[in-house]
Amino acid sequence: MRVGITGHRGLSAEVEQQVRQALAEVVEAYDAAELVGLSCIADGPDAWFAEAALAHGGRIEVVIPAEQYRSGLPDWHHPTYDTLLNRASTVHRTGLDGSDSDAHMRGSELLVDQVDELLAVWDGQPARGYGGTADVVTYAEGKGVPVRVLWPEGATRD
């Protein structure tokens, strides 16, 4: 089972705890020997999902949207990013250099095109910029990839 992740970054500590729990519950329902998690391993749900998949005994594949992607992530996230990247069984690259919204969407499309299901940590609102979670969900739905939305009841984004 190849499962991808997309989701909002910058969630509060309370919402983070709820999302991590939801991701763990979803991941634990899969056969660990069959689970391959695909993620861009950004801070937030991308990394939390990859960590949960590995903790469950599954494998991860990483999608790198752009060669400059890591440098655009928060410095505090770099150790986690590097650890997850080093644990990836496969790394997929878009071939783009600059880490902008177009590259992020291209990376998400590459991810969606390779999965059986997409998990979306999504509040159901329109994307705040091109390549946001809503755009990825729309792309997945257009490709016929099932989307499972994980959003804690009553949660909000900043």
Side-chain angles (χ1 to χ4, degrees):
M1 182 65 159
R2 297 174 64 79
V3 182
I5 184 73
T6 188
H8 301 308
R9 297 167 58 195
L11 301 175
S12 71
E14 179 183 347
V15 174
E16 174 182 346
Q17 181 181 18
Q18 293 171 311
V19 168
R20 281 183 180 269
Q21 180 62 38
L23 288 168
E25 290 172 6
V26 167
V27 165
E28 288 169 9
Y30 295 111
D31 179 345
E34 301 294 324
L35 176 62
V36 179
L38 278 81
S39 175
C40 295
I41 61 174
D43 52 299
D46 284 15
W48 306 335
F49 169 69
E51 291 169 336
L54 289 169
H56 183 56
R59 294 184 300 122
I60 63 167
E61 294 183 9
V62 170
V63 175
I64 299 178
E67 293 308 308
Q68 303 302 315
Y69 181 66
R70 180 184 181 274
S71 64
L73 297 172
D75 289 345
W76 57 262
H77 181 64
H78 290 176
T80 300
Y81 180 91
D82 294 343
T83 296
L84 292 171
L85 183 59
N86 287 330
R87 296 201 55 198
S89 60
T90 305
V91 176
H92 308 275
R93 298 176 187 273
T94 64
L96 300 174
D97 185 54
S99 187
D100 57 17
S101 58
D102 289 329
H104 298 169
M105 189 62 194
R106 179 89 61 90
S108 294
E109 291 168 352
L110 179 60
L111 183 148
V112 168
D113 289 346
Q114 300 181 66
V115 300
D116 302 308
E117 179 181 26
L118 180 70
L119 304 178
V121 178
W122 180 43
D123 63 1
Q125 298 299 310
R128 293 182 178 173
Y130 179 66
T133 303
D135 293 333
V136 179
V137 168
T138 298
Y139 180 80
E141 290 173 341
K143 293 295 229 174
V145 174
V147 176
R148 186 183 323 191
V149 176
L150 305 174
W151 190 251
E153 189 172 331
T156 59
R157 294 171 60 194
D158 292 337

